[in-house]
Amino acid sequence: MKNIFFVTLLLCFGTALFAQETGADKVLFKLPKATVTDMKGTKVNTEKISNDGKPIIISFWATWCKPCLKELNTIAEVYEEWQAETGVKLYAVSIDDSRSSSQVKTLVNGKGWNYEVLLDPNSEFKRAMNVNAVPHTFILNGKGEVVWQHTSFSEGAELDVINVVRKLNAGEPLPH
Amino acid sequence: MKTHLLTYATFLAALICIFPSLLQAQNSSIGSQVNGNFQMDAQYYRVDSAIGALPVPEKMQMNSWTNITYTSGDFNAGLRYETYLNPVNGYDPRYKGTGIPYWFVDYKTGKFQITAGHIYEQFGGGAIFRTYEEHNLGYDNALNGIRVKFTPAKGVELKGIYGTQRYFWDKGPGIVRGADADFNLKDWIPSLENSKLRVRIGGSFVSKYQADEEIYNSSQEKLMLPLNVAAGAGRIDLGYGNFGLNAEYAQKINDPNATNNFIYKKGESLLLTATYNQKGLGIILQAKRLDNMGFKSKRTETGNVLDIGYLPAITKQQTYTLAAVYPYATQPNNEMGMEAQVNYKIAKNTFLGGKYGTDIAVNFSAINSIVKELVNDTTLLDESGTLGYKSPFFKVGDTKYFRDFNIEIGHKFTKSFKLLFTYMYEEYNTAIIEGHIDDTVLVHANILVAEMTYKLSPEKALRLETQALLTQQDEGNWVMALLEYTVAPKWFVSVADQWNCGNEDTEKRFHYPLAAVAYNNDANRIQLSYGKQREGIVCVGGVCRNVPASNGFTLTITTSF
């Protein structure tokens, strides 16, 4: 009986996984529903994250995470060029809790970043996206489906990010 | 009976999984998907009595968890399998075991969202209610019960929760129930729509119930315990152009418990935040007062478990190894403090900014005690079964808990060379923060960190961290160096050494070398490290845990799917 239970479970997951394999490029998953807050204090449903059919980068970060700041600082230097070339938009989702969430705005302004910044103070969106640790970066296609993800950051990793965005725009298979 | 249960479970699993798949065939807009993540931390220990790494009988210890979430349209369910065999050094041994301590089902329909099972939720800033998990600290106070969210109109959100809290593999004895309302006035008052003024207000109410138990005061008289303890909080978030002001005030009725020595005084907390922001400049000022606000769903509990409210420290969370040696931890029952921070960017193509601009961050925080006065001539301060003390709201106490002044400067000199410099002055009260009652020591420390990154090629980089902690107290001076070589985006290799060069006891001037290699591919990461770990405090968010000294291998595997 126990075996039948597990086989059923496996079958279920199998069905669901197959459902995800459709499409030109492998879609990892659709953006889950979670409530986050923008910098003006307005609640935003994560399903509504969009960019007029162009690719989106979602980067999970925190004010206390050094590699995260390095990643966002590095991209900030070339962000305007990236936007002009590919139309990409970056959502920087801060997982700072109420200890430091009030400092997010101060830091973002202090650094002069032009990203769409979202606050996820109780990690609701982080959990829904199965993020283990920050930094964790996702790339979404024009339909809002996650097609690529990467954890950690080192100098030069931003080149991979823009490379994936370019390939998405060109309709080419993505590198992994 | 067991077979019966499994039959039902199989049937239910089949129904939950196959039914949406069938629906999906009919309606392509409802897709179902399974996601999850996995983490494993395993340590192999060697005995090293010199640094205090004691023998570990099982030689190896392992923590691991796997989350699986199933989503189909508006339906969402998930579970987490955890195994601690046995918990890695520094984790509470009560986690020992294997099981599924977390699962939930969630459904959204129109203006309602219903969640049953284990719930992570926060009211406002969390002062009187926050359940969350921080695996790397072994912290999880999930509410096991139900939650209803109701959004009657745009800009209004009402939430209600009811349940008990996670207590390792068990549940806490107290029942927690509460409600929260949040209003964004911009959506209500049409004239605010295009105004520079932003107003958001909210309020919450939480009550805990715990059955009576036998607790005695110093004269061996049984205390009359309140079975229901109520707490209320109000908050306002105001913004006008570049200025912002945020306040959260909370109050709790008498709640005699082990953290306040069973006194009957009411508790209160206030957090005030003022901000100014424009492109290239951010300023924040915070003030905070906590008076008898320890709030747990078990009266006799004093550890980092069963917290109902969340009272974060308002000090900067330091992440460089030596800067994080003396971290502050909130004192929920007795603390008054302030923090100020300025972030500024010197524009590029200026004398000080250079070609790429310069980032500057200055931060200062100061935390003291509150003032405690005698209730009357016959009652001792904090005497069990009494009101304990009186405390004038605006007076700052004499006991210094913590000071931190730090400045961080980041500058990119050329396309391939970056420098990040940090200076920090810190004062740290070991008696209050670490609870060493016998030896009150105020540690004064100067900390210097220089981090240099040199790009060898577009994908290859070298990073060098040099750190020094200078102090006359505690273990004396420490120095550290870390060299990391990265090949983006997949490989990290690092070697580091910490040296307690200034220990008064020359026999204890130990080295703590550590080497690590990590491989990343997409959302998968494998990291292996070998070396010595000094005893220390690790903090994430508002919680800290003490990690004992160790010597050996650590293997970490994480993945998301």
Side-chain angles (χ1 to χ4, degrees), chain B residues 190-251:
Chain B
S191 59
L192 277 179
E193 185 67 45
N194 296 313
S195 150
K196 275 184 166 181
L197 182 70
R198 301 181 304 274
V199 187
R200 209 173 128 189
I201 54 171
S204 41
F205 178 81
V206 173
S207 151
K208 73 157 174 183
Y209 167 80
Q210 190 184 348
D212 198 18
E213 57 193 316
E214 305 223 337
I215 288 163
Y216 299 88
N217 69 5
S218 49
S219 330
Q220 297 309 309
E221 295 155 342
K222 183 181 177 298
L223 297 180
M224 285 274 293
L225 296 167
L227 306 186
N228 292 286
V229 175
R235 57 184 186 269
I236 183 160
D237 193 1
L238 285 171
Y240 188 81
N242 294 335
F243 292 93
L245 188 66
N246 181 298
E248 182 160 17
Y249 176 78
Q251 223 182 57

Side-chain angles (χ1 to χ4, degrees), chain A residues 1-20 22 27-43 45 47 63-67 69-71 73-74 76-77 80 95-115 120-124 126-133 136-138 147-161 175-176, chain B residues 3 6-7 9-10 13-14 17-18 21 24 28-29 31-39 65 67-70 73-74 102 108 120-122 125 130-133 149 157 159 182 184 186 198 200 273 275 277-284 286 310 312-313 315-317 319-320 328 339 341 343-345 356 359 363 408 412 418 420 451 453 455 458-461 463 486-490 492 520-525 540-542 558-561:
Chain A
M1 194 62 222
K2 216 171 185 175
N3 289 336
I4 300 178
F5 173 66
F6 282 112
V7 168
T8 317
L9 262 185
L10 268 177
L11 276 177
C12 299
F13 291 153
T15 334
L17 282 172
F18 268 115
Q20 289 168 263
T22 52
V27 172
L28 300 176
F29 54 89
K30 278 189 181 166
L31 213 52
K33 287 176 198 181
T35 311
V36 289
T37 324
D38 69 12
M39 300 278 270
K40 286 181 180 156
T42 309
K43 302 219 166 173
N45 184 339
E47 273 185 314
T63 58
W64 42 260
C65 161
K66 284 267 158 22
L69 300 183
K70 216 171 263 177
E71 173 170 31
N73 264 338
T74 307
E77 286 175 22
E80 273 177 41
I95 60 156
D96 285 86
D97 67 20
S98 54
R99 170 172 186 175
S100 47
S101 59
S102 52
Q103 287 175 3
V104 169
K105 204 173 176 179
T106 312
L107 189 140
V108 167
N109 276 293
K111 300 248 180 214
W113 293 344
N114 287 316
Y115 308 131
D120 186 25
N122 208 28
S123 294
E124 187 188 335
K126 179 189 166 216
R127 257 190 302 279
M129 296 286 274
N130 289 298
V131 171
N132 272 317
H136 192 129
T137 305
F138 297 88
V147 292
W148 188 87
Q149 58 176 328
H150 186 80
T151 175
S152 83
F153 176 79
S154 52
E155 296 287 333
E158 75 282 3
L159 301 174
D160 263 45
V161 173
H176 286 281
Chain B
T3 325
L6 269 168
T7 316
T10 311
C17 303
I18 294 164
S21 310
Q24 187 194 3
S28 61
S29 70
S32 58
Q33 57 186 24
V34 175
N35 301 100
N37 62 12
F38 168 83
Q39 177 161 344
W65 57 86
N67 279 292
I68 292 186
T69 317
Y70 173 81
D74 289 322
Y102 172 81
K108 282 186 184 113
Y120 297 117
E121 178 57 80
Q122 173 175 332
R130 183 187 186 210
T131 54
Y132 68 109
E133 34 101 30
K149 275 194 199 179
E157 187 177 59
K159 289 188 254 193
D182 193 87
N184 195 346
K186 191 188 81 184
R198 301 181 304 274
R200 209 173 128 189
T273 308
T275 56
N277 286 291
Q278 66 177 55
K279 198 102 279 155
L281 175 67
I283 302 172
I284 181 164
Q286 284 191 301
Y310 176 69
T315 56
K316 183 169 180 171
Q317 182 153 346
T319 43
Y320 287 117
Y328 184 66
E339 180 183 31
Q341 179 161 323
N343 287 72
Y344 181 65
K345 188 176 189 81
Y356 299 94
D359 286 336
N363 172 283
E408 202 177 281
K412 189 170 167 179
K418 267 189 261 190
L420 202 57
E451 181 186 345
T453 310
K455 270 184 121 166
E459 294 86 22
K460 295 181 183 126
R463 193 170 69 86
T486 54
V487 183
K490 294 194 166 138
F492 289 75
N520 296 280
N521 184 21
D522 295 344
N524 313 306
R525 179 179 172 87
V540 177
T558 62
T559 175
S560 300
F561 55 89

Side-chain angles (χ1 to χ4, degrees), chain B residues 358-481:
Chain B
T358 300
D359 286 336
I360 297 180
V362 183
N363 172 283
F364 173 73
S365 54
I367 317 284
N368 271 37
S369 59
I370 56 172
V371 173
K372 287 188 176 181
E373 291 169 356
L374 291 175
V375 181
N376 55 44
D377 298 340
T378 53
T379 309
L380 299 170
L381 268 187
D382 295 320
E383 188 180 334
S384 300
T386 72
L387 284 175
Y389 60 91
K390 285 190 294 185
S391 181
F393 194 87
F394 292 101
K395 268 195 193 161
V396 181
D398 293 331
T399 312
K400 195 188 266 189
Y401 289 177
F402 188 77
R403 293 286 182 276
D404 176 3
F405 169 81
N406 57 78
I407 177 160
E408 202 177 281
I409 301 170
H411 186 70
K412 189 170 167 179
F413 287 88
T414 68
K415 212 170 177 183
S416 53
F417 182 68
K418 267 189 261 190
L419 173 71
L420 202 57
F421 174 80
T422 305
Y423 167 74
M424 176 175 163
Y425 172 75
E426 191 178 10
E427 289 175 19
Y428 177 90
N429 187 326
T430 54
I432 298 291
I433 302 166
E434 297 178 7
H436 301 169
I437 296 152
D438 302 331
D439 54 338
T440 305
V441 176
L442 193 67
V443 176
H444 300 254
N446 282 289
I447 296 146
L448 293 152
V449 182
E451 181 186 345
M452 287 151 274
T453 310
Y454 184 71
K455 270 184 121 166
L456 303 163
S457 77
E459 294 86 22
K460 295 181 183 126
L462 270 178
R463 193 170 69 86
L464 175 69
E465 265 179 34
T466 52
Q467 309 186 14
L469 182 155
L470 309 171
T471 178
Q472 305 286 324
Q473 294 85 29
D474 200 28
E475 294 171 313
N477 298 344
W478 284 83
V479 290
M480 177 188 165

